[in-house]
Structures are given as structure tokens and as C-alpha cells.
Amino acid sequence: MNFSFSQLFKDAFKDTKENFSVLIGLILLIFLGSFLLGIGVNLVTKLMPSIGFILNIASNLLQAYITLGFLKVCLLIVRGKTYDTEDLFVPFSYVLRYMVVVFAFVFIAIVIALPFIFSIDLTGVTNYESFFETVKHISSTSLMLLLATLAIYFYLACRILFYTYLIIESDFSTNDLIIESFRMTKGKVGMVIGFFFILIALNILGALLLLVGLLFTVPMSYLAMARLYTIFADET
């Protein structure tokens, strides 16, 4: 496999510089929209708790829709194709497949966490604060189970890394999305982990530059991720 991180990030830097105004505009719009949407949903939920569940589902669907549209633009950029405003409006079937995968892995995450959950005393736990307070005083066995659970989560995150891009570029079923992402990352988990560490370092550097650097490193991170996907996808 002809691959180098230096070339990947050089290309991502070039793409970011050439499309900076569009990318930063979309990212700021997404974050601001998500923030305002969250405030609105919480406010309405407090006033009318009976419809809170429905509003949260609608909010998640809308955020998934916007995210997939943005990722589609990122893919078009790294593939050297032209993009337009209409590319942000993806078919709703993309969102449905996205949500099915998310719900599937939430269920899997809960199952994986069960040994750890059953190893601690949850008596008196009524909220997040009391739960985390309980976790602070867990036994060595529970600690090992917690570390094992987190390690499995991280491994799975590396293996399903590309499912969102596969939704955009393929018509795979939900099961096939997961299978294909696992196939693409087979034997490459070390590369994916290395990529994550570089991304983390890049954004820490951006944050250290009075947070202004994040205006460049965040869109660059999205393009680097999309470029990594295209490298893996075009190789297989």
C-alpha cells in the first residue's frame, strides 16, 4: 500500500486552503445550528415534556442529515470534483441507514458494558453525578473491566470509521456497511490509531494558538478523514 501520513496531510492542507471559506462557513453553521437547536429542544421539552422524546428524535435526524451533507461535500473536495449547494441535501435514505447503524452500535455498546456495570454497586445511583462518584471508588476488578470495555469501544470505533462515507458513496445495506468498513480497515488498525493521534495533536496545536488555529485545523481534520477513506476505498 503506497501511503504516507505526510502526503495525506499535505493534500488535506492544500484542500483546506483552497476551500477554506466554504468549509468554515458550513462548520460554523452546523455548530451554531446544533447549539440553537439543542437550546430550543430543551426549552420546549421543559414546557411540554410529553413531546420531548419526539423532539429529540427529530433533532437527531436533522443533525444526521446536515452532517451527511457536509461529509458529502468533503468527499467531493478530496476527489477533486465540483460541488454545489444542492450536494448538502442528501436523500433521506442516507439518514435512515445512518440512524440504524448508530442504534445498532449503541445496543452493542450497552451489551459490552454489562460486565462492568454488573461489577459495581449501583445502589443509590440516581443521576450521572452519583454514577461517576460510584465509579471513582470501584474495585481493581471493576477497573480492569472498565479499561477492557473502553479498549473494545476504541477498537470498534477504528473498524467502523468509514460507515458514514460508505452511506454516501454506496447503496450497501446496514449490515453490509458495517462489514465493508471492517473489511477496509482489516490489518490497518495501527494506521488508523496513528491517524487519530496526529489529528489530536493537530487540533491541540490549533487550540494552543489562542483557539484561532482551530478555525483551520477542524476543517482540515474533516478533509484528512475523508482523504483517508478514499485511500482505503480505492485500494480495495
Side-chain angles (χ1 to χ4, degrees):
M1 182 179 183
N2 187 18
F3 171 82
S4 74
F5 283 126
S6 61
Q7 188 59 51
L8 184 152
F9 282 96
K10 283 180 182 177
D11 292 337
F13 179 86
K14 177 175 175 290
D15 290 335
T16 305
K17 187 169 62 173
E18 293 176 352
N19 301 273
F20 178 74
S21 59
V22 172
L23 290 168
I24 198 63
L26 289 174
I27 289 173
L28 290 176
L29 183 63
I30 290 171
F31 278 98
L32 179 61
S34 297
F35 176 72
L36 293 176
L37 182 62
I39 292 177
V41 169
N42 288 333
L43 180 61
V44 174
T45 300
K46 288 180 179 179
L47 296 174
M48 294 178 286
S50 59
I51 65 171
F53 179 72
I54 296 175
L55 282 177
N56 275 290
I57 292 178
S59 173
N60 289 330
L61 289 173
L62 181 58
Q63 290 185 46
Y65 183 84
I66 295 171
T67 299
L68 288 168
F70 175 70
L71 293 181
K72 182 179 179 181
V73 171
C74 290
L75 277 174
L76 291 172
I77 289 173
V78 301
R79 289 200 179 280
K81 298 180 180 180
T82 58
Y83 57 88
D84 203 342
T85 305
E86 64 184 21
D87 291 309
L88 293 169
F89 302 97
V90 298
F92 193 69
S93 60
Y94 289 9
V95 179
L96 294 179
R97 286 191 291 161
Y98 174 89
M99 295 306 294
V100 170
V101 174
V102 169
F103 286 136
F105 273 92
V106 167
F107 175 76
I108 291 171
I110 293 172
V111 172
I112 292 171
L114 286 179
F116 165 69
I117 293 173
F118 287 139
S119 72
I120 60 177
D121 182 11
L122 296 178
T123 304
V125 174
T126 57
N127 51 42
Y128 288 117
E129 289 77 11
S130 57
F131 175 77
F132 287 119
E133 188 63 32
T134 299
V135 171
K136 289 180 183 178
H137 303 91
I138 59 176
S139 65
S140 57
T141 301
S142 296
L143 178 60
M144 293 299 293
L145 286 171
L146 175 60
L147 293 176
T149 300
L150 294 176
I152 295 172
Y153 285 167
F154 185 70
Y155 174 77
L156 289 177
C158 291
R159 298 305 302 273
I160 67 166
L161 181 65
F162 299 128
Y163 79 92
T164 49
Y165 302 102
L166 289 168
I167 288 173
I168 296 167
E169 289 202 325
S170 74
D171 58 356
F172 287 134
S173 65
T174 303
N175 288 338
D176 289 339
L177 284 171
I178 298 170
I179 292 171
E180 181 64 14
S181 187
F182 265 73
R183 188 182 69 82
M184 289 173 62
T185 54
K186 183 178 180 180
K188 300 171 185 172
V189 173
M191 294 172 60
V192 173
I193 293 174
F195 175 80
F196 277 140
F197 277 120
I198 294 174
L199 274 193
I200 292 170
L202 180 69
N203 285 285
I204 289 176
L205 178 62
L208 291 175
L209 296 174
L210 302 178
L211 297 179
V212 177
L214 288 174
L215 294 176
F216 195 88
T217 60
V218 170
M220 183 177 170
S221 297
Y222 278 105
L223 291 183
M225 183 77 76
R227 187 163 289 278
L228 183 69
Y229 160 77
T230 60
I231 292 171
F232 282 18
D234 294 347
E235 183 215 19
T236 53

